[in-house]
Amino acid sequence: HGKDMYIDVPPGTLVRDLKTQKLAGELREHGQELLVARGGRGGRGNKAFMTDRNTAPKLAERGEPGAQRWLNVELRLLADVGFLGVPNAGKSTLLAAASAARPKIANYPFTTIVPNLGVCDLGDEGAGLVMCDIPGLIEGASSGAGLGPAFLRHVQRCKVLLHVVDGTSEDPIGDFEAINKELAQYDELLSSKPQVVVLNKIDVSEVQEKQDELMAKLKEAAGHSRVLAISAATTERVKELMGRLKKFVDAQPKELDLPPATEIDLSLHALDNDSDDFEIVTDPAYPGQFRIKGAYIEQVAIMTHWEYPEAVDRFGRILDAIGISDAMQQVGAQDGDLVMVGEYDFEFAPGMTNVYIPPELLEKDASMDGVDVDEPEQTEWRPFLSGGYLDEDEEELLGFGDEDDWDLLDSTETNMFQGDEVFDGQFDEEFDEFDEFDEQFDFDKEEEVWTS
């Protein structure tokens, strides 16, 4: 048995199958595990295939190879509060003012190009609050504009969104509405998360002059009263903001932060997949060629001992049992067509025995034998009198007559054929002795002869 292999990932990691992009699971907590590639199990020996009729089957399975797959690993930062806003709204400045994080800060857009995490360390009320700052969003972000879309996934796991509005913008209310519109187009669940709105840069005189007007319009646009005016640069009301955020986050129900539903189970053996889940692929450019795709049947082909005729028979029976043979005929497969399963290929011949042996194995067996097997010679038919023995000679054979008497062969006919055996030697000498006896003792017909 091989040892288990562990790969450490940070909390908030999502794992998907690269080919199908189906979600396998999310690791949120420290110590949480997710099995993504199960090792293979050993093959069964011939004892597993014993039956009452076949007590010594010449059949075994190869070991099942371990799973091999490509994965898509995505990190979504787990934070309590996610910062949103247009570029250069002061999000990074607020993160630096409320935590020990030191993101890059400058007076130009898109200063932040990577997500930043910070933990609030202001007072006791907001202590421990985890915050996430992502690059600024612009109009069209949901369609791929700007840097924000690449990092919006990091705030999808946040319990509360903090929308930072730049008070020095030409249209602060327009910016606020544009960002919310992009959120709705990107992810409806993200746009439905509770928000807290802050009007930043109230340290600027122009913003102070219209602060009350902007606050009223922001409350109307947001549809709630969770709006606060701050100055991240001077930390004015920042501590108050963190305290309120902490209480608001703690009041959120945990049900709102449920993990996403998994779409694929990567912990299964290949043989645990549904045997009916297969696909027959054909290309009109290559007539008479078919490829069968399916996790179950491909694994069966890998585990088959193609050198054993009984194992090959079993593979053919599996093709019939799960409906592949019938499906092949429905798509137009005919006898002799090429069928491919994984790395194995064979000729299609439904209902026949041992048709699924790959050609390369047949060639391998022939090379190992090294001897050409000749067909047995056919004996030429000959009549009975010439050494034959077939039914066509029954008239020449000894048999029963109508009165159950023996019908003998006609002794008057001397049918001699080339190759018949002629008696000579000892028998000829015995015949000569009888001839001399007859000449020496010439009896009359009326004379009495004693024979004993």
mmCIF file of all heavy atoms in Angstrom, residues 77-83 91-92 94-103 115-121 126-134 242:
data_model
loop_
_atom_site.group_PDB
_atom_site.id
_atom_site.type_symbol
_atom_site.label_atom_id
_atom_site.label_comp_id
_atom_site.label_asym_id
_atom_site.label_seq_id
_atom_site.Cartn_x
_atom_site.Cartn_y
_atom_site.Cartn_z
ATOM 1 N N LEU A 77 -10.269 34.486 -0.759
ATOM 2 C CA LEU A 77 -9.898 34.922 0.586
ATOM 3 C C LEU A 77 -11.114 34.945 1.490
ATOM 4 O O LEU A 77 -12.194 35.408 1.102
ATOM 5 C CB LEU A 77 -9.253 36.307 0.534
ATOM 6 C CG LEU A 77 -7.955 36.404 -0.287
ATOM 7 C CD1 LEU A 77 -7.432 37.821 -0.274
ATOM 8 C CD2 LEU A 77 -6.904 35.442 0.250
ATOM 9 N N LEU A 78 -10.931 34.425 2.679
ATOM 10 C CA LEU A 78 -12.003 34.413 3.675
ATOM 11 C C LEU A 78 -11.835 35.623 4.580
ATOM 12 O O LEU A 78 -10.881 35.714 5.351
ATOM 13 C CB LEU A 78 -11.964 33.121 4.488
ATOM 14 C CG LEU A 78 -12.179 31.829 3.692
ATOM 15 C CD1 LEU A 78 -12.089 30.621 4.604
ATOM 16 C CD2 LEU A 78 -13.530 31.854 2.989
ATOM 17 N N ALA A 79 -12.736 36.554 4.454
ATOM 18 C CA ALA A 79 -12.674 37.776 5.252
ATOM 19 C C ALA A 79 -14.071 38.112 5.745
ATOM 20 O O ALA A 79 -15.081 37.677 5.183
ATOM 21 C CB ALA A 79 -12.111 38.935 4.427
ATOM 22 N N ASP A 80 -14.107 38.901 6.800
ATOM 23 C CA ASP A 80 -15.399 39.340 7.338
ATOM 24 C C ASP A 80 -15.979 40.472 6.512
ATOM 25 O O ASP A 80 -17.185 40.531 6.278
ATOM 26 C CB ASP A 80 -15.238 39.777 8.794
ATOM 27 C CG ASP A 80 -14.767 38.652 9.690
ATOM 28 O OD1 ASP A 80 -15.251 37.515 9.507
ATOM 29 O OD2 ASP A 80 -13.915 38.900 10.565
ATOM 30 N N VAL A 81 -15.109 41.370 6.066
ATOM 31 C CA VAL A 81 -15.548 42.567 5.344
ATOM 32 C C VAL A 81 -14.733 42.688 4.065
ATOM 33 O O VAL A 81 -13.495 42.567 4.082
ATOM 34 C CB VAL A 81 -15.382 43.835 6.190
ATOM 35 C CG1 VAL A 81 -15.863 45.065 5.415
ATOM 36 C CG2 VAL A 81 -16.143 43.703 7.499
ATOM 37 N N GLY A 82 -15.432 42.908 2.953
ATOM 38 C CA GLY A 82 -14.765 43.146 1.679
ATOM 39 C C GLY A 82 -14.957 44.577 1.228
ATOM 40 O O GLY A 82 -16.077 45.092 1.230
ATOM 41 N N PHE A 83 -13.842 45.211 0.813
ATOM 42 C CA PHE A 83 -13.885 46.608 0.384
ATOM 43 C C PHE A 83 -14.211 46.685 -1.100
ATOM 44 O O PHE A 83 -13.637 45.970 -1.923
ATOM 45 C CB PHE A 83 -12.548 47.298 0.646
ATOM 46 C CG PHE A 83 -12.240 47.512 2.103
ATOM 47 C CD1 PHE A 83 -13.135 47.105 3.088
ATOM 48 C CD2 PHE A 83 -11.057 48.126 2.500
ATOM 49 C CE1 PHE A 83 -12.855 47.311 4.428
ATOM 50 C CE2 PHE A 83 -10.779 48.332 3.847
ATOM 51 C CZ PHE A 83 -11.666 47.918 4.806
ATOM 52 N N LYS A 91 -9.541 52.916 -0.586
ATOM 53 C CA LYS A 91 -9.734 51.621 0.075
ATOM 54 C C LYS A 91 -8.454 51.142 0.755
ATOM 55 O O LYS A 91 -8.486 50.675 1.903
ATOM 56 C CB LYS A 91 -10.210 50.581 -0.959
ATOM 57 C CG LYS A 91 -11.519 50.951 -1.653
ATOM 58 C CD LYS A 91 -11.974 49.873 -2.605
ATOM 59 C CE LYS A 91 -10.986 49.666 -3.746
ATOM 60 N NZ LYS A 91 -10.841 50.883 -4.592
ATOM 61 N N SER A 92 -7.340 51.217 0.052
ATOM 62 C CA SER A 92 -6.079 50.767 0.637
ATOM 63 C C SER A 92 -5.672 51.663 1.804
ATOM 64 O O SER A 92 -5.101 51.186 2.802
ATOM 65 C CB SER A 92 -4.979 50.764 -0.432
ATOM 66 O OG SER A 92 -5.292 49.859 -1.478
ATOM 67 N N LEU A 94 -7.717 53.138 3.834
ATOM 68 C CA LEU A 94 -8.553 52.739 4.964
ATOM 69 C C LEU A 94 -8.044 51.444 5.584
ATOM 70 O O LEU A 94 -8.028 51.298 6.814
ATOM 71 C CB LEU A 94 -10.003 52.578 4.496
ATOM 72 C CG LEU A 94 -11.008 52.099 5.537
ATOM 73 C CD1 LEU A 94 -11.057 53.062 6.733
ATOM 74 C CD2 LEU A 94 -12.391 51.946 4.922
ATOM 75 N N LEU A 95 -7.603 50.496 4.765
ATOM 76 C CA LEU A 95 -7.069 49.234 5.293
ATOM 77 C C LEU A 95 -5.811 49.485 6.116
ATOM 78 O O LEU A 95 -5.635 48.888 7.190
ATOM 79 C CB LEU A 95 -6.767 48.277 4.137
ATOM 80 C CG LEU A 95 -6.238 46.894 4.520
ATOM 81 C CD1 LEU A 95 -7.300 46.117 5.292
ATOM 82 C CD2 LEU A 95 -5.792 46.111 3.282
ATOM 83 N N ALA A 96 -4.960 50.368 5.631
ATOM 84 C CA ALA A 96 -3.732 50.676 6.371
ATOM 85 C C ALA A 96 -4.032 51.426 7.664
ATOM 86 O O ALA A 96 -3.337 51.243 8.669
ATOM 87 C CB ALA A 96 -2.791 51.496 5.490
ATOM 88 N N ALA A 97 -5.090 52.238 7.658
ATOM 89 C CA ALA A 97 -5.418 53.001 8.857
ATOM 90 C C ALA A 97 -6.064 52.129 9.929
ATOM 91 O O ALA A 97 -5.950 52.433 11.130
ATOM 92 C CB ALA A 97 -6.369 54.156 8.488
ATOM 93 N N ALA A 98 -6.728 51.047 9.526
ATOM 94 C CA ALA A 98 -7.454 50.220 10.494
ATOM 95 C C ALA A 98 -6.698 48.962 10.887
ATOM 96 O O ALA A 98 -7.155 48.236 11.788
ATOM 97 C CB ALA A 98 -8.812 49.836 9.922
ATOM 98 N N SER A 99 -5.571 48.661 10.233
ATOM 99 C CA SER A 99 -4.847 47.425 10.531
ATOM 100 C C SER A 99 -3.358 47.644 10.358
ATOM 101 O O SER A 99 -2.904 48.745 10.025
ATOM 102 C CB SER A 99 -5.323 46.295 9.601
ATOM 103 O OG SER A 99 -4.943 46.552 8.257
ATOM 104 N N ALA A 100 -2.620 46.577 10.582
ATOM 105 C CA ALA A 100 -1.166 46.638 10.412
ATOM 106 C C ALA A 100 -0.743 46.365 8.978
ATOM 107 O O ALA A 100 0.451 46.341 8.676
ATOM 108 C CB ALA A 100 -0.486 45.639 11.345
ATOM 109 N N ALA A 101 -1.709 46.143 8.083
ATOM 110 C CA ALA A 101 -1.389 45.904 6.679
ATOM 111 C C ALA A 101 -0.816 47.163 6.060
ATOM 112 O O ALA A 101 -1.219 48.283 6.404
ATOM 113 C CB ALA A 101 -2.641 45.465 5.922
ATOM 114 N N ARG A 102 0.126 46.975 5.129
ATOM 115 C CA ARG A 102 0.771 48.101 4.480
ATOM 116 C C ARG A 102 0.699 47.933 2.965
ATOM 117 O O ARG A 102 1.681 47.648 2.284
ATOM 118 C CB ARG A 102 2.219 48.235 4.940
ATOM 119 C CG ARG A 102 2.363 48.632 6.400
ATOM 120 C CD ARG A 102 1.772 50.027 6.645
ATOM 121 N NE ARG A 102 1.825 50.416 8.058
ATOM 122 C CZ ARG A 102 0.811 50.287 8.883
ATOM 123 N NH1 ARG A 102 -0.355 49.789 8.449
ATOM 124 N NH2 ARG A 102 0.930 50.674 10.130
ATOM 125 N N PRO A 103 -0.505 48.073 2.403
ATOM 126 C CA PRO A 103 -0.625 47.971 0.946
ATOM 127 C C PRO A 103 -0.002 49.182 0.269
ATOM 128 O O PRO A 103 0.247 50.224 0.898
ATOM 129 C CB PRO A 103 -2.137 47.928 0.729
ATOM 130 C CG PRO A 103 -2.695 48.674 1.900
ATOM 131 C CD PRO A 103 -1.788 48.370 3.054
ATOM 132 N N PRO A 115 -5.060 41.457 -4.234
ATOM 133 C CA PRO A 115 -5.865 41.582 -3.014
ATOM 134 C C PRO A 115 -4.980 41.727 -1.785
ATOM 135 O O PRO A 115 -3.886 41.169 -1.713
ATOM 136 C CB PRO A 115 -6.655 40.273 -2.978
ATOM 137 C CG PRO A 115 -6.584 39.723 -4.350
ATOM 138 C CD PRO A 115 -5.290 40.172 -4.914
ATOM 139 N N ASN A 116 -5.467 42.463 -0.833
ATOM 140 C CA ASN A 116 -4.745 42.670 0.425
ATOM 141 C C ASN A 116 -5.652 42.316 1.595
ATOM 142 O O ASN A 116 -6.844 42.636 1.588
ATOM 143 C CB ASN A 116 -4.281 44.126 0.563
ATOM 144 C CG ASN A 116 -3.274 44.506 -0.512
ATOM 145 O OD1 ASN A 116 -2.238 43.875 -0.651
ATOM 146 N ND2 ASN A 116 -3.592 45.540 -1.280
ATOM 147 N N LEU A 117 -5.085 41.626 2.569
ATOM 148 C CA LEU A 117 -5.802 41.259 3.778
ATOM 149 C C LEU A 117 -5.258 42.040 4.960
ATOM 150 O O LEU A 117 -4.053 42.317 5.044
ATOM 151 C CB LEU A 117 -5.676 39.761 4.061
ATOM 152 C CG LEU A 117 -6.596 38.802 3.297
ATOM 153 C CD1 LEU A 117 -6.272 37.370 3.663
ATOM 154 C CD2 LEU A 117 -8.061 39.115 3.571
ATOM 155 N N GLY A 118 -6.144 42.383 5.877
ATOM 156 C CA GLY A 118 -5.740 43.065 7.100
ATOM 157 C C GLY A 118 -6.661 42.693 8.243
ATOM 158 O O GLY A 118 -7.844 42.399 8.034
ATOM 159 N N VAL A 119 -6.127 42.707 9.461
ATOM 160 C CA VAL A 119 -6.899 42.403 10.663
ATOM 161 C C VAL A 119 -6.943 43.664 11.516
ATOM 162 O O VAL A 119 -5.890 44.230 11.860
ATOM 163 C CB VAL A 119 -6.292 41.235 11.450
ATOM 164 C CG1 VAL A 119 -7.128 40.945 12.692
ATOM 165 C CG2 VAL A 119 -6.179 39.996 10.574
ATOM 166 N N CYS A 120 -8.159 44.071 11.840
ATOM 167 C CA CYS A 120 -8.320 45.313 12.593
ATOM 168 C C CYS A 120 -7.684 45.200 13.974
ATOM 169 O O CYS A 120 -7.875 44.209 14.686
ATOM 170 C CB CYS A 120 -9.803 45.649 12.716
ATOM 171 S SG CYS A 120 -10.139 47.145 13.662
ATOM 172 N N ASP A 121 -6.936 46.207 14.361
ATOM 173 C CA ASP A 121 -6.305 46.236 15.679
ATOM 174 C C ASP A 121 -6.599 47.547 16.402
ATOM 175 O O ASP A 121 -5.832 47.991 17.260
ATOM 176 C CB ASP A 121 -4.792 46.047 15.553
ATOM 177 C CG ASP A 121 -4.133 47.059 14.627
ATOM 178 O OD1 ASP A 121 -4.860 47.925 14.080
ATOM 179 O OD2 ASP A 121 -2.907 46.988 14.423
ATOM 180 N N GLY A 126 -13.549 46.667 17.637
ATOM 181 C CA GLY A 126 -13.339 46.172 16.274
ATOM 182 C C GLY A 126 -12.181 45.216 16.149
ATOM 183 O O GLY A 126 -11.829 44.828 15.027
ATOM 184 N N ALA A 127 -11.565 44.816 17.258
ATOM 185 C CA ALA A 127 -10.386 43.956 17.200
ATOM 186 C C ALA A 127 -10.744 42.592 16.610
ATOM 187 O O ALA A 127 -11.789 42.017 16.927
ATOM 188 C CB ALA A 127 -9.789 43.792 18.593
ATOM 189 N N GLY A 128 -9.872 42.079 15.735
ATOM 190 C CA GLY A 128 -10.060 40.756 15.146
ATOM 191 C C GLY A 128 -10.874 40.743 13.874
ATOM 192 O O GLY A 128 -11.064 39.676 13.273
ATOM 193 N N LEU A 129 -11.342 41.888 13.432
ATOM 194 C CA LEU A 129 -12.134 41.951 12.210
ATOM 195 C C LEU A 129 -11.212 41.785 11.003
ATOM 196 O O LEU A 129 -10.246 42.535 10.830
ATOM 197 C CB LEU A 129 -12.868 43.283 12.134
ATOM 198 C CG LEU A 129 -13.927 43.448 11.048
ATOM 199 C CD1 LEU A 129 -15.106 42.531 11.306
ATOM 200 C CD2 LEU A 129 -14.387 44.903 10.969
ATOM 201 N N VAL A 130 -11.508 40.784 10.153
ATOM 202 C CA VAL A 130 -10.674 40.503 8.982
ATOM 203 C C VAL A 130 -11.256 41.242 7.783
ATOM 204 O O VAL A 130 -12.445 41.105 7.469
ATOM 205 C CB VAL A 130 -10.615 38.990 8.691
ATOM 206 C CG1 VAL A 130 -9.719 38.717 7.477
ATOM 207 C CG2 VAL A 130 -10.092 38.239 9.907
ATOM 208 N N MET A 131 -10.389 42.020 7.103
ATOM 209 C CA MET A 131 -10.822 42.849 5.988
ATOM 210 C C MET A 131 -10.033 42.498 4.736
ATOM 211 O O MET A 131 -8.866 42.122 4.806
ATOM 212 C CB MET A 131 -10.634 44.331 6.337
ATOM 213 C CG MET A 131 -11.431 44.773 7.559
ATOM 214 S SD MET A 131 -10.953 46.425 8.137
ATOM 215 C CE MET A 131 -9.299 46.089 8.781
ATOM 216 N N CYS A 132 -10.697 42.643 3.594
ATOM 217 C CA CYS A 132 -10.088 42.313 2.305
ATOM 218 C C CYS A 132 -10.268 43.486 1.354
ATOM 219 O O CYS A 132 -11.398 43.949 1.138
ATOM 220 C CB CYS A 132 -10.721 41.055 1.717
ATOM 221 S SG CYS A 132 -10.167 40.637 0.054
ATOM 222 N N ASP A 133 -9.170 43.935 0.788
ATOM 223 C CA ASP A 133 -9.188 45.047 -0.160
ATOM 224 C C ASP A 133 -8.842 44.506 -1.538
ATOM 225 O O ASP A 133 -7.839 43.814 -1.724
ATOM 226 C CB ASP A 133 -8.165 46.103 0.263
ATOM 227 C CG ASP A 133 -7.974 47.178 -0.798
ATOM 228 O OD1 ASP A 133 -8.944 47.462 -1.515
ATOM 229 O OD2 ASP A 133 -6.844 47.701 -0.917
ATOM 230 N N ILE A 134 -9.698 44.785 -2.521
ATOM 231 C CA ILE A 134 -9.461 44.312 -3.881
ATOM 232 C C ILE A 134 -9.269 45.512 -4.791
ATOM 233 O O ILE A 134 -9.605 46.646 -4.432
ATOM 234 C CB ILE A 134 -10.634 43.446 -4.392
ATOM 235 C CG1 ILE A 134 -11.901 44.285 -4.542
ATOM 236 C CG2 ILE A 134 -10.864 42.254 -3.484
ATOM 237 C CD1 ILE A 134 -13.034 43.542 -5.250
ATOM 238 N N MET A 242 -14.986 50.837 12.497
ATOM 239 C CA MET A 242 -14.595 49.446 12.758
ATOM 240 C C MET A 242 -15.475 48.824 13.846
ATOM 241 O O MET A 242 -15.844 47.649 13.770
ATOM 242 C CB MET A 242 -13.127 49.391 13.169
ATOM 243 C CG MET A 242 -12.144 49.787 12.056
ATOM 244 S SD MET A 242 -12.201 48.685 10.621
ATOM 245 C CE MET A 242 -12.952 49.766 9.398
#
